[in-house]
Amino acid sequence: MADLPFGESTGKSAEELNNSAPLDVHRWSEYGEVNDFVNQIYEQHFSDSWTDLEKKHLKVVLLDLYVIWTVDPDRCIAIHLNNNRYRAKSRYNSLHISRKTIDVATKLHEVGLIHSKRGFYDRAGYSKTCRIWPTQELVEHFTKARFSVFDISSHAERESLILHDEQKKDVQYEDTSETRRMRKVLSDYNELLSRTHIDCAHLDHPYVVRADGKRTYIDQQHKFIYRVFNNSSWEEGGRFYGGWWELVSEHRRGIRINGERTIELDYRGLHVVFLYALKNINYYHELSSSDPYEVHIPETNDPKFARELAKRMMLSLVNATDERKVFKAVQQKTNQLGDCPSHMTLTFKLLRKILAQLRLKHPQIEEYFLSGAGTEMQFLDSQMTELIVKHFTAKGIPVLTVHDSYVIQERYRDELMDQMDIAWQEVTHLESEDFQIVHGGYVAPDHLVDHDAVYEKPVTDTAIKQIGYVDELEGEDWEEHLRIESLKESEYVSQRYSDNLELFREWVERKTS
């Protein structure tokens, strides 16, 4: 290997090379055994003419290779060979990782510790950056390492408040009392998540395959949460990102937190009702008999798909300022999910009919269509999320956020419902209905609703979405209750999950002892 020029390794197909993750420049650990591991490789191959600065870069690359290899030995790291891609002095680069990363990767290749492949084109003709992955020699170092993958996380000073301009480029900013306050909430939250085991119990592999064929990985290293604000404003955007659970909606029902089953609650039609709130109208009170996304599409006999299509358009209408961009966004999202009926074609003509229905359905807020007000709505729901996160973090209870949806251990469902109602009132300054008892014994405000519902029940009889099981509280038919309990007892839990949970618990015990 050492006699080959950097980037000319062979042995992986284009498809295998596409199974990759970008180099994580925040990868770090201060654990003593980790430092010993890095020092050993440094002294053996780098100490003759390299400085501590290069050693820091070496540590980042080695730890990222180790984490990726631990989760999936066949996965690669995508690394830029262009000096301009490294911004060492950015506040978003806590370790000030620079172009020296290229020198470190080149050296690792020269001494036979990594394979590499320079930029290439995949089957679709898209240009790809250089890929690197460990050689057998480096794998042997990995297998002898005396530390856990859980000892590796993000650098303590990694920036969690990201400000973007109108072109979605990073903006450097000066801290204020408000940015410091928001960052403290995130710091406390991330510290709690770092010692929380979050995984999908039903998965045999640590990933799910998306509709586009790519994998979303599920591991304990992808739990760092950050907020993104838009248009150079601290009052636009602000949503919480970073958790792997954001991308696996169809698998969230299998999430367990510290070994416990979870539920998921969300607000119904939140951005629509936010727009009504701007007009001082409480949609949940005054228009609750109407599903905000219900439209009639003769071209399909699937009311659930029709509703989803209208929802996608409504969200795009609020975010965009151009009708054609809205239609293209709806087409792209639908193609990505692959849920359009085979006999149906989403032409602009059809989408324009749906838009006309939405205009007739929501005349009170039509002025906000194509207004670009979506980032302001995101700011409002991010404020609600911050209130909910802050409440539960203070109590040491991890709650997972997916914008206006929240996943939490089953035993905290009632408290979560209470906090969602409180957050709604605090942010909108509109009173909500008193809690109502609904069938199955659930207690929920009428703006909490089942994601999968097609509104067959009156909106005043809504339910929450519970991941895995519903309607199992007191008052349910006893035979049905026993059936659900039986399902729980026989629920499939993968060996991968059980092993990973046990290792994580041992790690937490070691860290706290």
Side-chain angles (χ1 to χ4, degrees):
M1 285 302 307
D3 59 337
L4 289 176
F6 179 65
E8 297 302 322
S9 300
T10 58
K12 282 188 181 290
S13 66
E15 182 178 354
E16 291 171 323
L17 292 169
N18 271 336
N19 180 22
S20 66
L23 176 70
D24 187 344
V25 298
H26 307 288
R27 198 76 78 185
W28 199 249
S29 175
E30 294 292 353
Y31 186 56
E33 297 292 352
V34 170
N35 290 331
D36 292 343
F37 167 79
V38 175
N39 287 337
Q40 179 184 359
I41 294 178
Y42 177 77
E43 292 171 1
Q44 184 175 352
H45 299 291
F46 290 80
S47 60
D48 54 344
S49 59
W50 294 69
T51 67
D52 287 344
L53 181 60
E54 282 89 4
K55 185 178 180 180
K56 179 179 70 174
H57 286 69
L58 171 66
K59 184 175 182 177
V60 169
V61 175
L62 285 177
L63 293 189
D64 204 33
L65 283 165
Y66 178 79
V67 169
I68 294 296
W69 171 82
T70 301
V71 176
D72 182 356
D74 296 323
R75 204 175 187 200
C76 307
I77 288 178
I79 182 172
H80 287 286
L81 301 182
N82 184 335
N83 294 343
N84 296 328
R85 298 305 294 261
Y86 297 90
R87 299 171 57 193
K89 295 183 180 181
S90 168
R91 73 180 299 128
Y92 304 108
N93 184 350
S94 59
L95 284 165
H96 305 296
I97 298 305
S98 69
R99 64 159 309 281
K100 292 185 181 297
T101 303
I102 303 172
D103 300 332
V104 167
T106 301
K107 181 68 172 180
L108 285 171
H109 186 276
E110 290 175 354
V111 300
L113 292 181
I114 63 169
H115 297 293
S116 60
K117 175 66 177 177
R118 280 192 180 274
F120 62 99
Y121 288 94
D122 64 10
R123 291 182 178 179
Y126 293 106
S127 176
K128 301 294 182 178
T129 56
C130 177
R131 302 295 199 259
I132 61 174
W133 62 99
T135 64
Q136 184 57 39
E137 183 177 346
L138 183 54
V139 168
E140 290 176 3
H141 282 287
F142 288 163
T143 57
K144 295 175 183 177
R146 300 175 60 187
F147 56 87
S148 167
V149 68
F150 307 133
D151 289 310
I152 303 170
S153 58
S154 290
H155 189 263
E157 296 181 6
R158 179 178 177 179
E159 182 57 76
S160 57
L161 285 181
I162 298 174
L163 183 62
H164 284 167
D165 63 15
E166 289 75 3
Q167 284 71 48
K168 298 187 177 183
K169 293 182 179 180
D170 294 342
V171 175
Q172 304 298 317
Y173 60 87
E174 296 294 328
D175 271 322
T176 65
S177 58
E178 178 62 8
T179 60
R180 285 189 285 268
R181 185 200 63 78
M182 291 189 292
R183 189 179 294 109
K184 180 63 167 60
V185 173
L186 288 167
S187 176
D188 293 343
Y189 182 44
N190 279 316
E191 195 282 326
L192 174 61
L193 293 181
S194 71
R195 48 187 169 87
T196 301
H197 187 267
I198 308 167
D199 202 342
C200 286
H202 65 291
L203 296 177
D204 291 312
H205 303 285
Y207 58 81
V208 295
V209 180
R210 304 197 301 265
D212 59 6
K214 296 182 179 180
R215 296 175 178 179
T216 293
Y217 280 83
I218 297 170
D219 58 64
Q220 304 310 307
Q221 277 65 44
H222 288 89
K223 299 184 297 187
F224 181 86
I225 305 301
Y226 54 90
R227 296 180 69 178
V228 179
F229 291 83
N230 305 114
N231 300 325
S232 303
S233 170
W234 294 111
E235 295 186 352
E236 295 189 42
R239 280 182 159 181
F240 291 59
Y241 295 95
W244 56 258
W245 46 88
E246 296 171 10
L247 300 176
V248 289
S249 58
E250 70 273 26
H251 291 282
R252 285 204 294 269
R253 67 183 61 249
I255 289 179
R256 293 194 179 190
I257 296 177
N258 289 332
E260 296 184 35
R261 279 183 300 270
T262 58
I263 61 167
E264 180 173 3
L265 281 67
D266 80 340
Y267 296 95
R268 175 168 56 88
L270 189 60
H271 279 200
V272 174
V273 299
F274 271 152
L275 293 174
Y276 277 92
L278 293 177
K279 308 291 287 187
N280 203 33
I281 299 172
N282 190 331
Y283 187 93
Y284 294 135
H285 292 191
E286 302 179 32
L287 299 165
S288 62
S289 62
S290 173
D291 173 4
Y293 303 123
E294 184 180 22
V295 297
H296 177 60
I297 304 178
E299 287 79 1
T300 178
N301 57 2
D302 183 350
K304 186 173 182 179
F305 175 70
R307 181 184 185 277
E308 280 299 310
L309 203 57
K311 181 178 180 180
R312 289 168 201 169
M313 179 170 290
M314 178 65 83
L315 296 179
S316 294
L317 275 173
V318 178
N319 283 291
T321 56
D322 178 82
E323 182 181 280
R324 292 182 62 85
K325 289 183 178 179
V326 170
F327 296 160
K328 288 182 179 179
V330 173
Q331 289 175 332
Q332 182 178 4
K333 184 67 175 180
T334 304
N335 290 336
Q336 178 185 348
L337 294 175
D339 59 354
C340 184
S342 58
H343 65 275
M344 189 175 176
T345 303
L346 294 185
T347 63
F348 276 23
K349 182 178 180 180
L350 173 59
L351 294 174
R352 197 166 281 114
K353 289 180 181 179
I354 299 173
L355 172 56
Q357 287 193 54
L358 290 173
R359 290 185 184 278
L360 290 173
K361 189 177 187 67
H362 299 287
Q364 300 96 323
I365 59 172
E366 185 182 357
E367 66 185 87
Y368 296 113
F369 290 3
L370 300 175
S371 68
T375 55
E376 297 175 32
M377 302 303 102
Q378 291 177 10
F379 177 63
L380 293 176
D381 74 50
S382 77
Q383 286 183 299
M384 292 165 57
T385 295
E386 184 184 56
L387 289 170
I388 292 167
V389 165
K390 188 175 180 179
H391 169 84
F392 284 104
T393 300
K395 301 182 71 172
I397 301 171
V399 57
L400 312 182
T401 71
V402 190
H403 306 322
D404 59 348
S405 176
Y406 310 95
V407 179
I408 202 167
Q409 289 148 300
E410 286 180 330
R411 55 191 164 122
Y412 300 118
R413 67 180 147 220
D414 291 343
E415 186 173 354
L416 175 56
M417 285 189 283
D418 288 347
Q419 292 305 313
M420 289 173 70
D421 193 59
I422 291 170
W424 161 258
Q425 295 182 50
E426 288 197 20
V427 171
T428 65
H429 306 294
L430 295 173
E431 293 183 0
S432 65
E433 292 281 3
D434 292 335
F435 289 139
Q436 298 182 15
I437 303 296
V438 299
H439 76 91
Y442 284 115
V443 180
D446 65 358
H447 53 281
L448 302 179
V449 72
D450 187 335
H451 277 288
D452 300 324
V454 191
Y455 296 90
E456 297 174 349
K457 304 189 300 292
V459 178
T460 53
D461 187 27
T462 57
I464 63 173
K465 177 181 181 180
Q466 176 164 335
I467 298 178
Y469 310 96
V470 295
D471 306 331
E472 57 183 288
L473 300 184
E474 293 180 7
E476 186 62 34
D477 177 82
W478 183 244
E479 290 186 2
E480 177 66 7
H481 176 75
L482 291 177
R483 185 187 72 82
I484 291 174
E485 286 300 309
S486 176
L487 283 173
K488 287 185 175 183
E489 291 174 3
S490 61
E491 182 179 46
Y492 176 71
V493 177
S494 71
Q495 191 62 47
R496 176 204 65 82
Y497 173 84
S498 298
D499 292 344
N500 191 264
L501 176 60
E502 182 179 356
L503 289 173
F504 189 84
R505 285 173 170 168
E506 291 174 355
W507 174 77
V508 171
E509 184 177 357
R510 172 170 61 82
K511 294 284 287 186
T512 56
S513 62

